[in-house]
Amino acid sequence: MKRAKKKVFTDFMSQRGLKSTKQRDVILDSFLSSDRHLSIEELYLKIRAKHPNIGYATVYRTLKLFAEAGIAREMQFGDGQTRYEHVGEGEHHDHLVCTRCGSIEEFENETIEKLQTEVAASRGFLIERHRLELYGLCGNCRK
Amino acid sequence: MKRAKKKVFTDFMSQRGLKSTKQRDVILDSFLSSDRHLSIEELYLKIRAKHPNIGYATVYRTLKLFAEAGIAREMQFGDGQTRYEHVGEGEHHDHLVCTRCGSIEEFENETIEKLQTEVAASRGFLIERHRLELYGLCGNCRK
DNA sequence: CGTTATTATGACATCCACTTTCAACTGGAG
DNA sequence: CTCCAGTTGAAAGTGGATGTCATAATAACG
């Protein structure tokens, strides 16, 4: 799966005439082996630990590239930072965000999706994408 | 209904030992007689037209007060601006956001809410609030 | 292999939407 | 009317995202 995403990215790169560089390799590796939902800052700090010479701007630009290539998606959870999550082919899910510890879980629910489509249809609205986030206390924090 | 909200706000103010001022009156009036989902900037410009002496910071602070008083709610729709919408007692609704014209419609759906609670419960998660936004083309923009 | 035309990088500057600061200015209780 | 806590507006400060630009690196070509 890491392999698959790397291929998607290199294909994207060559198709766009972009170059492969050490920095991009490092950032991609680091991204793929991270928690889902990392902010730019978090990824930058993580990378800087081993590669002090990679700048914030490069991480920032590279994450944008990942998003364009379709292997990452920008997300906003209201903490003022843009987070990037991993994306698989056509996969979609929603989020449970813990307001105490900040942990983020994912879930999927067919029925909800279907109801959304129905609601939209009844208004003549055509859905392109949606976001559903449930904020509250996770199992751990409720104890 | 405007009356009711004004009362909620004045009650909130006196309870907190806050003062009633001309500026706050103007801002509240303007807010209540506006579109739902106004950004600070939009409200500020609207107000400035008639009251050039009211500053951005005051509008900003006053909207925060409205939110604390429970008559407004902060919202983020991903356009980089915080918007404030009107809130009625315990009322809740979700949004249909048109990605072309920016219009925002509201909807409610009991079944979706219930399913959300179920999903959360099955993970031991306790929901405090949620956000559900459907992005796409509104009826008008599809034509 | 060198050369060369691009593209990439990183330090720094800038932008932008708030958010805070602070001196001057009220409300309104006494 | 006095006085003080609460307010205001202009301006400065923040923090994250984004743009700039001289320098460096890649990869295609000779």
Side-chain angles (χ1 to χ4, degrees):
Chain A
M1 163 206 119
K2 255 177 92 160
R3 280 249 148 282
K5 287 187 178 168
K6 285 194 181 182
K7 178 149 193 330
V8 171
F9 188 57
T10 47
D11 287 355
F12 169 82
M13 299 275 277
S14 62
Q15 190 194 352
R16 295 255 292 239
L18 302 178
K19 291 171 182 170
S20 125
T21 67
K22 300 182 203 78
Q23 289 91 333
R24 286 176 177 166
D25 288 350
V26 167
I27 296 170
L28 181 52
D29 267 333
S30 196
F31 175 68
L32 292 180
S33 65
S34 290
D35 235 27
R36 303 180 62 99
H37 313 114
L38 229 48
S39 69
I40 304 176
E41 178 85 10
E42 285 165 352
L43 187 58
Y44 167 62
L45 290 177
K46 178 177 170 184
I47 289 172
R48 200 177 58 171
K50 292 208 170 186
H51 306 270
N53 48 324
I54 293 184
Y56 178 94
T58 301
V59 176
Y60 162 78
R61 286 182 293 228
T62 305
L63 281 173
K64 287 264 178 208
L65 276 185
F66 292 171
E68 284 185 64
I71 61 175
R73 183 187 294 128
E74 292 189 4
M75 306 249 63
Q76 295 277 167
F77 293 107
D79 63 348
Q81 299 209 194
T82 300
R83 290 171 182 285
Y84 285 81
E85 70 173 10
H86 304 181
V87 188
E89 319 281 330
E91 138 198 342
H92 172 77
H93 54 257
D94 298 307
H95 298 91
L96 290 158
V97 183
C98 181
T99 51
R100 174 143 358 187
C101 71
S103 70
I104 301 172
E105 291 178 54
E106 299 170 353
F107 72 91
E108 289 180 63
N109 188 300
E110 275 296 327
T111 317
I112 292 181
E113 310 265 318
K114 208 171 127 193
L115 287 169
Q116 288 175 2
T117 311
E118 284 173 19
V119 169
S122 74
R123 308 284 196 103
F125 195 97
L126 180 65
I127 300 182
E128 290 167 351
R129 64 198 162 78
H130 74 261
R131 70 191 277 178
L132 170 55
E133 287 142 25
L134 310 179
Y135 294 87
L137 295 177
C138 70
N140 267 333
C141 291
R142 284 176 74 179
K143 289 171 191 166
Chain B
M1 162 205 120
K2 256 178 92 160
R3 280 251 148 278
K5 287 189 179 168
K6 285 194 180 182
K7 177 147 194 331
V8 171
F9 187 58
T10 48
D11 287 355
F12 168 82
M13 299 275 277
S14 62
Q15 189 194 352
R16 295 255 291 240
L18 303 177
K19 291 174 182 169
S20 125
T21 68
K22 299 181 202 79
Q23 289 92 332
R24 285 175 178 166
D25 288 349
V26 167
I27 297 170
L28 181 53
D29 268 332
S30 196
F31 175 68
L32 291 181
S33 65
S34 290
D35 235 29
R36 304 181 61 98
H37 314 114
L38 228 50
S39 69
I40 304 177
E41 178 86 11
E42 285 165 352
L43 188 58
Y44 167 62
L45 290 176
K46 178 177 171 184
I47 289 171
R48 201 178 57 171
K50 294 209 169 184
H51 306 269
N53 49 323
I54 292 185
Y56 178 95
T58 302
V59 176
Y60 161 78
R61 286 182 293 229
T62 306
L63 281 173
K64 288 263 177 206
L65 275 186
F66 293 171
E68 283 184 65
I71 61 174
R73 183 187 294 128
E74 293 189 4
M75 307 249 63
Q76 294 277 169
F77 293 107
D79 63 348
Q81 299 210 191
T82 300
R83 290 171 182 285
Y84 285 81
E85 70 172 10
H86 304 182
V87 188
E89 320 281 328
E91 138 198 343
H92 173 77
H93 54 257
D94 299 307
H95 299 91
L96 290 158
V97 183
C98 181
T99 51
R100 173 141 3 186
C101 71
S103 70
I104 300 172
E105 292 179 52
E106 300 170 352
F107 72 91
E108 289 180 62
N109 188 299
E110 275 296 327
T111 317
I112 291 180
E113 310 265 317
K114 208 171 125 194
L115 286 169
Q116 289 174 3
T117 311
E118 285 174 19
V119 169
S122 74
R123 307 285 195 104
F125 195 97
L126 181 65
I127 300 181
E128 289 167 351
R129 63 198 162 78
H130 73 261
R131 70 191 276 179
L132 169 56
E133 287 143 25
L134 310 179
Y135 294 88
L137 295 178
C138 70
N140 267 334
C141 291
R142 284 176 73 179
K143 288 170 192 166

